[in-house]
Amino acid sequence: MYQAAITGTGVFTPQQTITNAELVEAFNAYADLYNAENAEAIGAGTLEAKAHSSEEFIVKASGIEQRYVMDKSGVLDPNVMHPLLRQRADEEPSLMAEMAVDAAQKALAAAGKTADDVDAVICAASNLERAYPAVAIEIQELLGVKGFAFDMNVACSSATFGIQAAADMIRSGSIRSALVVNPEICSAHLEWRDRDCHFIFGDVATATLLERAEDVEGPCFDVISTRCATEYSNNIRNNNGFLRRSRPDGLSDRRDMQFMQNGRKVFKEVLPMVADHIGGHMADNGLESDDLKRIWLHQANKSMNDFIGRKVLGREPELGEQPNILQDYANTSSAGSIIAFAKNSDDLQDGDTGLICSFGAGYSVGSVIVKKRG
């Protein structure tokens, strides 16, 4: 058995941002249009009027202050309310692959490696741009990586599940290295017309390079242990798919064709699952709360992260122990914990231990215990 290590990370950040103020202005304009168009039904009590959103509501509900997106023009148009992304020819790189390649190249540069040093590419994301050919194979081709590639989807836990898959292949000796890439175009499956969730998501891509520890010369994070768990729930869901056109009313503008969640149930059911998962993972590796220098959590909601931080550490996390990035990036599904890790890990010292954890739809939760070396 070989030891796996994380040797480089990369983050692709879109150029465009949407502030809470911009988002609220667009949503409220949409709500006013909707209410005016449906005034008769609303007056008769057969249809509910859409309430306005507010910056205060968004920050209190999530801790999010802005988000990066691939296109803001369509999202902020009250008559559109979704990103407008141009159709690309089959001969062009897909948008998702283009984002992933940028992040992957940054991860390789951080590790001082090239595509020739990579044996496998895993594209792990909450939604793939197409069913086939695999986006991972396109990324592999664009990077010039030999070996093999495949897609996987465990929603918001995709990155940690991908890291476990890569680490397991390295441990077994079937590969020496792998890139786990997480291109997330969450703006395309968010329902921007729903006040309860219109502020949640942003776009980004992350990449993590894993190698055999024996091949590493510079600083790295040894992967001490990985653990994944799933428990079925449809409280977070998106019912879109290739069977849609085969079903009655399948092509209509149905609400369940975009992101949906029962937020209260998710909060109540996921948090204990995550806290117990992390606690069990730590205990099985002989770790106490004081042994953790840092926790890099899935970036869905500040209140959720604060709760998990308190449960895991047994106290209020100190500044920097449980870094949040969602105030700037919003929820970026599988990429969130990797952004937090990439941007808040350089200062750790040799021997420091930390834990990466992502969780979400499925329900699913994945955790990775790492130790700084060098």
Side-chain angles (χ1 to χ4, degrees), residues 42 62 159 179 228 273 290 292 306:
I42 293 171
S62 65
L179 270 169
C228 297
M273 177 183 177
D290 290 343
L292 286 184
D306 290 345

Side-chain angles (χ1 to χ4, degrees), residues 132-171:
Y132 46 81
V135 177
I137 300 177
E138 182 184 10
I139 296 166
Q140 175 193 9
E141 172 71 16
L142 292 170
L143 287 171
V145 171
K146 297 179 176 61
F148 64 93
F150 61 90
D151 292 343
M152 65 181 296
N153 178 357
V154 202
C156 293
S157 298
S158 295
T160 48
F161 276 60
I163 288 173
Q164 170 160 309
D168 283 348
M169 287 187 285
I170 291 171
R171 290 177 186 127

Side-chain angles (χ1 to χ4, degrees), residues 349-372:
Q349 304 300 308
D350 184 52
D352 285 345
T353 300
L355 183 141
I356 305 168
C357 181
S358 57
F359 48 88
Y363 296 129
S364 58
V365 55
S367 52
V368 182
I369 297 172
V370 295
K371 179 177 286 188
K372 181 69 177 288

Side-chain angles (χ1 to χ4, degrees), residues 23 33 58 91 102 108 111 136 139 157-158 171 192 196 303 316 327 331:
L23 192 62
L33 287 173
I58 292 173
E91 294 74 25
D102 181 280
L108 288 170
I139 296 166
S157 298
S158 295
R171 290 177 186 127
W192 296 91
D196 289 338
S303 296
E316 200 71 32
Q327 66 276 4
N331 184 343

Side-chain angles (χ1 to χ4, degrees), residues 207-327:
T208 305
L209 178 65
L210 290 94
E211 303 180 72
R212 281 189 191 176
E214 66 185 52
D215 296 338
V216 181
E217 298 178 357
C220 66
F221 283 87
D222 288 325
V223 177
I224 304 304
S225 177
T226 59
R227 178 170 295 184
C228 297
T230 53
E231 185 177 302
Y232 182 72
S233 168
N234 68 356
N235 284 321
I236 310 172
R237 66 188 185 278
N238 182 328
N239 290 332
N240 207 347
F242 76 96
L243 291 178
R244 182 178 179 184
R245 69 175 182 176
S246 69
R247 293 168 174 167
D249 203 31
L251 294 179
S252 63
D253 185 20
R254 286 163 40 197
R255 175 64 187 88
D256 66 333
M257 295 296 104
Q258 306 297 337
F259 166 82
M260 293 187 69
Q261 75 168 352
N262 186 328
R264 291 184 179 181
K265 279 192 174 181
V266 170
F267 200 95
K268 181 180 179 180
E269 295 170 358
V270 167
L271 292 185
M273 177 183 177
V274 174
D276 290 345
H277 176 93
I278 294 175
H281 195 187
M282 291 171 57
D284 288 348
N285 284 272
L287 294 175
E288 301 288 342
S289 59
D290 290 343
D291 295 323
L292 286 184
K293 184 72 173 180
R294 195 152 299 163
I295 310 172
W296 302 280
L297 295 175
H298 170 50
Q299 303 289 305
N301 180 289
K302 186 177 184 300
S303 296
M304 295 179 80
N305 283 5
D306 290 345
F307 177 91
I308 294 168
R310 287 193 297 269
K311 291 288 287 185
V312 172
L313 297 177
R315 54 176 171 76
E316 200 71 32
E318 296 179 8
L319 185 65
E321 280 188 308
Q322 176 221 291
N324 288 324
I325 53 86
L326 83 167
Q327 66 276 4

Side-chain angles (χ1 to χ4, degrees), residues 197-214:
C197 69
H198 77 109
F199 52 87
I200 291 179
F201 287 115
D203 301 335
V204 78
T206 54
T208 305
L209 178 65
L210 290 94
E211 303 180 72
R212 281 189 191 176
E214 66 185 52

